[in-house]
Amino acid sequence: MIDHTLLKADATYAEVLQVIEEAKRYHFYAVCLNPSWVYLAAQKLKREPTAVCTVIGFPLGANTSETKAFEAKNAIENGADEVDMVINIGALKAGMVEKVQADIQAVVDVAKDQALVKVILETSLLTEDELIKACKLAQIAGADFVKTSTGFSSGGAKIEDVQLLKEIVAPEMGVKAAGGIYTEGQALTMIEAGATRLGTSASVFIITGNNS
């Protein structure tokens, strides 16, 4: 259920290789890396069941839809199995629902039959009504998951947000909880709340209790 994640700006080649090897060793569902590392991960995981996940329009979601679509297409060509895209948060808060849906749709259309699409909502910046609206737009666009957070904003996954997202999108879509999940207890709590996937950089510690 874990997307083993390394998205920090200063991630080195050696650190990326380590995360890939950890994903193989511990049989994580996916490794989630910035787009520039997708090709490397795809090559290293070619004969492994571990999926390659990347991020689109990350972390602000403020790119144009055309840019997000190109970024997704490029990532898929490089070997991405899943793309986690950030919605246009400002447009949603402004009530520009058609723009937000079209933004998600642009990525879904590119990824169709080639990669799963997870829609990052950035729950800490949205009201409950906005979260409901965003989930509905992701459903209409044909996305596969909604995801709580980038991990780079003012807050991460919260139990009540995961519960709300599950209530809206399940069983047609999955729910990915991400941001601030560092312990086994937190991970299990998110699963109990309805998360079907977890995004975390603390994956190894969560399942082994060992930081080394």
Side-chain angles (χ1 to χ4, degrees):
M1 295 181 71
I2 292 177
D3 290 356
H4 189 34
T5 303
L6 178 63
L7 295 171
K8 63 180 185 176
D10 58 347
T12 65
Y13 180 81
E15 289 174 324
V16 171
L17 284 180
Q18 179 181 338
V19 164
I20 293 169
E21 289 305 312
E22 288 170 346
K24 288 163 60 175
R25 178 180 176 186
Y26 295 105
H27 307 289
F28 294 129
Y29 190 95
V31 59
C32 186
L33 302 165
N34 279 308
S36 61
W37 300 113
V38 165
Y39 183 79
L40 172 66
Q43 295 304 304
K44 295 291 184 182
L45 295 169
K46 190 177 292 185
R47 295 175 180 83
E48 302 291 334
T50 304
V52 178
C53 174
T54 193
V55 288
I56 305 298
F58 194 86
L60 302 179
N63 312 56
T64 65
S65 299
E66 292 83 1
T67 299
K68 290 179 184 177
F70 175 82
E71 196 174 10
K73 180 175 183 290
N74 180 251
I76 293 165
E77 288 171 349
N78 283 332
D81 302 298
E82 304 187 351
V83 292
D84 292 14
M85 69 155 293
V86 188
I87 63 164
N88 189 322
I89 301 161
L92 181 71
K93 294 191 78 67
M96 302 166 72
V97 292
E98 291 181 2
K99 181 178 178 67
V100 176
Q101 189 198 326
D103 191 58
I104 301 169
Q105 193 75 57
V107 174
V108 170
D109 288 348
V110 164
K112 189 173 178 61
D113 299 325
Q114 298 185 80
L116 285 180
V117 177
K118 307 191 202 88
V119 179
I120 307 175
L121 308 180
E122 206 66 281
T123 50
S124 65
L125 301 181
L126 302 178
T127 65
E128 183 174 318
D129 285 345
E130 288 166 346
L131 285 175
I132 293 169
K133 195 174 295 181
C135 286
K136 296 296 185 185
L137 295 174
Q139 283 180 312
I140 293 167
D144 301 288
F145 275 76
V146 286
K147 176 178 170 182
T148 60
S149 324
T150 61
F152 286 78
S153 188
S154 56
K158 292 182 179 178
I159 295 168
E160 56 268 29
D161 291 333
V162 173
Q163 290 171 331
L164 176 64
L165 300 190
K166 181 192 176 186
E167 186 180 325
I168 302 165
V169 306
E172 293 83 8
M173 297 173 68
V175 175
K176 179 174 173 179
I181 303 170
Y182 301 118
T183 68
E184 180 187 8
Q186 289 173 321
L188 292 173
T189 299
M190 292 299 167
I191 293 168
E192 288 166 7
T196 51
R197 195 83 67 85
L198 304 175
T200 176
S201 59
S203 317
V204 175
F205 177 71
I206 285 171
I207 65 167
T208 67
N210 192 340
N211 274 317
S212 60

